[in-house]
Amino acid sequence: MSHWVPELLAPAGSLEKLKVAVLYGADAVYLGGQKFGLRSAADNLTYQELEEGVGFAHERGAKVFVVLNSFLHDQDLDELPEFIHFLNEIKVDAVIISDLGVVRTFRKLSSIPIHLSTQASCLNKEAARFWKKMGVSRIVLGREVNLHEAAEIKKETGLEIELFIHGSMCMAYSGNCVISNYTSGRDSNRGGCAHSCRFEYSLSGEDSNGKKELKSFFMSSKDLKGISVLPEFIKYGIDSLKIEGRMKSHLYAGTTSKVYSEALGHYKENGDFLSDDLYAWKEELNKVTHREYHEGNLTEKAGSESIYSERETEEKEFVVVGIVLQVIKENFMLVEVRSAFSPGEELELLPFKGEALKFTPSVIENVSGDVFEKTKPGYLVKLPYFPEVKEWNILRKKVVQ
């Protein structure tokens, strides 16, 4: 018997990351073009890359959602119709919008489903009803909403509900932060967030020891990890589980997609999470770069324990050392190096399904047979063949502390 599970929605900050997320199990990906989105520091995709990415995803049964969640001025709106026509042509599956003017403009020119961005700060059923009248079919609720509240909004409005399950969190109400505008002159609501909330600040006042100036990271949030409450997401009928992180690495996109996909797959087949793999799934999520984890507001209101009160040095257990570009069957795999490694170092191949495969290459050479004592990013190298290896598999190594 097959049990219902939500959609798994993964970030795709580039065409490569789109391919990685889809191949590692994401049901859908969200990404931005060169304009109109909030992650201007991400690679984002050109028109050609968008078209290729949509084709790649659709061939594998995955959906593509394009982000247009910046708050636009009239000049921006004048440039929007051309982009809308292009999205119609390549048949994207939905767009993610926060600005009412963009919603109305899009509705006039396209029948592509509209998802309301978390930047719109929709937190209650009356706001959701309003957006439904405007033509929105799905609400991406802010991280301030818990699972029970999300279920009530779904029940009362009939809208699809999308909720974050993993990734960075923000101390501000979604779409209402202007700290970067003040500290660095970068508009956080138009793609320029400088993550100023992560900085250490000096506070005037006295602590219990009588100090008159305090140093604190009081605005920095821990990262969200919701795998332990996956049963609650399913119980409440949340339609889509969203992983944050368009600016994060290939290893992050692949690992988070793989872990949550495997967990959902287990539930779909068995109707429960009584799996020996639960501990392994949690451990895999610890292997990507992250701040200390927390469950945010998913089950109860986040308090002071959700503050990441340390200097901004994200924990990193593993790094990507390469991406498999080609597999020469029963001979070798051709790998593009992303981080330096040497013969004798233990590496891990992360297959699309199953446990990571450890191996230690004794010799590293290129396609011409030249031997390397140490690789460099950008090198193309031959490494041993595994029956499980596929193009776009990730190779990683443990970080030496």
Side-chain angles (χ1 to χ4, degrees), residues 36 70-80 99 101-102 105 187 189-190:
F36 312 120
S70 182
F71 291 97
L72 305 189
H73 292 221
D74 283 331
Q75 180 181 347
D76 305 312
L77 279 176
D78 291 340
E79 299 173 2
L80 185 59
D99 185 293
V102 178
T105 302
D187 194 334
N189 295 303
R190 287 172 58 80

Side-chain angles (χ1 to χ4, degrees), residues 214-232:
L214 314 177
K215 298 283 189 179
S216 175
F217 295 90
F218 69 101
M219 290 189 291
S220 185
S221 296
K222 294 178 181 177
D223 282 355
L224 178 66
K225 182 170 76 170
I227 192 165
S228 294
V229 291
L230 260 179
E232 299 296 300

Side-chain angles (χ1 to χ4, degrees), residues 16-267:
E16 276 196 355
K17 292 174 190 176
L18 177 153
K19 294 178 178 179
V20 166
V22 168
L23 291 170
Y24 276 101
D27 301 306
V29 293
Y30 63 102
L31 49 83
Q34 298 290 307
K35 293 182 178 180
F36 312 120
L38 282 183
R39 290 293 180 263
S40 58
D43 293 336
N44 293 316
L45 283 76
T46 64
Y47 275 29
Q48 182 178 347
E49 289 173 330
L50 282 169
E51 185 170 9
E52 181 181 343
V54 170
F56 183 93
H58 285 177
E59 286 171 6
R60 291 157 180 81
K63 296 180 179 180
V64 175
F65 306 154
V66 175
V67 176
L68 297 91
N69 59 351
S70 182
F71 291 97
L72 305 189
H73 292 221
D74 283 331
Q75 180 181 347
D76 305 312
L77 279 176
D78 291 340
E79 299 173 2
L80 185 59
E82 177 193 348
F83 190 53
I84 295 174
H85 292 313
F86 174 71
L87 297 181
N88 287 333
E89 289 176 8
I90 64 174
K91 295 181 171 55
V92 302
D93 299 284
V95 288
I96 304 171
I97 300 174
S98 54
D99 185 293
L100 181 56
V102 178
V103 170
R104 296 196 64 175
T105 302
F106 212 94
R107 196 70 299 149
K108 292 176 184 177
L109 299 174
S110 176
S111 60
I112 294 172
I114 296 176
H115 298 174
L116 185 71
S117 170
T118 186
Q119 292 299 114
S121 285
C122 181
L123 306 175
N124 59 72
K125 60 190 176 186
E126 291 303 328
R129 287 188 178 114
F130 166 80
W131 286 108
K132 185 176 182 178
K133 288 181 181 178
M134 294 299 103
V136 168
S137 61
R138 177 187 291 189
I139 303 289
V140 187
L141 291 172
R143 295 170 182 81
E144 301 78 34
V145 176
N146 64 39
L147 283 161
H148 176 73
E149 291 170 330
E152 285 298 306
I153 292 171
K154 176 181 171 69
K155 177 183 175 182
E156 294 293 327
T157 64
L159 287 163
E160 291 183 7
I161 296 297
E162 182 176 306
L163 208 58
F164 283 94
I165 192 169
H166 195 94
S168 297
M169 294 193 290
C170 180
M171 54 75 65
Y173 268 72
S174 304
N176 290 276
C177 181
V178 291
I179 300 174
S180 291
N181 303 57
Y182 180 77
T183 59
S184 61
R186 290 166 53 174
D187 194 334
S188 53
N189 295 303
R190 287 172 58 80
C193 180
H195 304 284
S196 303
C197 59
R198 305 292 182 186
F199 300 167
E200 182 180 36
Y201 288 90
S202 298
L203 305 177
S204 298
E206 293 188 3
D207 64 6
S208 57
N209 297 317
K211 291 183 179 179
K212 293 189 176 180
E213 186 174 82
L214 314 177
K215 298 283 189 179
S216 175
F217 295 90
F218 69 101
M219 290 189 291
S220 185
S221 296
K222 294 178 181 177
D223 282 355
L224 178 66
K225 182 170 76 170
I227 192 165
S228 294
V229 291
L230 260 179
E232 299 296 300
F233 278 88
I234 294 171
K235 169 187 172 183
Y236 287 120
I238 306 303
D239 297 280
S240 183
L241 313 184
K242 188 168 194 172
I243 300 169
E244 181 276 339
R246 280 193 288 144
M247 293 173 61
K248 294 181 179 176
S249 70
H250 295 71
L251 181 60
Y252 178 91
T255 301
T256 53
S257 296
K258 183 176 187 292
V259 167
Y260 283 100
S261 175
E262 287 182 354
L264 290 169
H266 178 89
Y267 186 91

